[in-house]
Amino acid sequence: MVEVSYKKSEGCAIKECQDMIQKSLRTPMVKFLMEHMEKTGCKVGDNFIKAGICNRKIGGQYIVVCSDQVRIQDDVNQEVIRHLIHAYDECRASNLDWRNCAHHACSEIRAGHLSGDCHYKREFLRGFMKIRGHEQDCVRRRVMKSVMANPFCSKTAAKDAMEAVWDICYNDTKPFDRAP
């Protein structure tokens, strides 16, 4: 769960983050994801995504963009896209249970693979400089970080869950025809 308070921390101010979220909502990829959520039967209102100050241990929450962890528009765009992929997963899977390590891992695999968060330039800027296989390594690293933060998943359970669902979830590109 995300713990939210409403004061400024290391990233940007909540108002600034909320303004960047509004800009994100006008980008083609965000519009595409929101349209597909609506087509799947999930209502996406004006306040669906909000800015807040978050505890570092985040698991199972997709509607709060942590203003203390973003600084620029690109950061916010990536977080909004990632969160919308999680929201899409929750919308289309009536039995998605964030306490289930495999369910959590699957949505994280999809979000990491489809959001562009593991694009080569982002990995390079994070200090990971691998020519081949960087995207899958990044997705695996970020899945483990997220699922291990889930209080229902130990490190072993997170790794086992990720490996068990990797192929099916990595290759599931819905609502896209292929990975963007």
Side-chain angles (χ1 to χ4, degrees), residues 121-130:
K121 80 170 184 179
R122 284 189 180 84
E123 278 294 89
F124 179 77
L125 293 172
R126 290 179 188 132
F128 296 99
M129 300 180 289
K130 187 174 175 186

Side-chain angles (χ1 to χ4, degrees), residues 10-175:
E10 296 175 10
C12 65
I14 290 176
K15 169 82 171 92
E16 182 183 2
C17 184
Q18 196 64 46
D19 291 345
M20 287 191 276
I21 289 169
Q22 292 307 309
K23 286 181 184 174
S24 288
L25 297 177
R26 295 189 296 269
T27 64
M29 190 172 209
V30 169
K31 283 182 178 180
F32 175 86
L33 287 164
M34 291 178 75
E35 286 170 14
H36 278 80
M37 284 188 63
E38 293 276 345
K39 287 179 186 176
T40 306
C42 292
K43 298 284 184 220
V44 181
D46 293 338
N47 294 320
F48 185 69
I49 302 171
K50 293 187 178 236
I53 305 290
C54 302
N55 179 323
R56 289 273 180 208
K57 290 195 173 196
I58 299 170
Q61 182 61 268
Y62 59 84
I63 60 167
V64 176
V65 174
C66 302
S67 66
D68 56 324
Q69 297 176 28
V70 296
R71 288 187 173 82
I72 60 174
Q73 185 66 51
D74 186 61
D75 293 344
V76 173
N77 292 348
Q78 282 308 121
E79 282 301 298
V80 168
I81 291 166
R82 238 179 35 74
H83 291 329
L84 284 172
I85 291 168
H86 288 312
Y88 178 83
D89 287 349
E90 191 159 317
C91 177
R92 73 180 181 144
S94 61
N95 66 341
L96 192 141
D97 179 359
W98 291 102
R99 295 169 298 179
N100 180 311
C101 303
H103 289 194
H104 188 161
C106 186
S107 191
E108 290 295 343
I109 290 166
R110 287 178 31 75
H113 180 52
L114 301 175
S115 69
D117 191 43
C118 288
H119 185 274
Y120 180 76
K121 80 170 184 179
R122 284 189 180 84
E123 278 294 89
F124 179 77
L125 293 172
R126 290 179 188 132
F128 296 99
M129 300 180 289
K130 187 174 175 186
I131 301 301
R132 293 188 178 204
H134 75 274
E135 197 262 356
Q136 287 193 16
D137 287 352
C138 171
V139 171
R140 287 177 189 279
R141 186 179 69 251
R142 296 177 73 76
V143 167
M144 287 298 294
K145 181 178 178 183
S146 179
V147 179
M148 286 185 339
N150 182 333
F152 297 96
C153 304
S154 66
K155 182 177 181 177
T156 301
K159 185 169 178 27
D160 291 347
M162 179 182 67
E163 295 302 331
V165 300
W166 180 266
D167 288 338
I168 195 160
C169 298
Y170 189 84
N171 291 309
D172 178 2
T173 61
K174 288 183 176 120

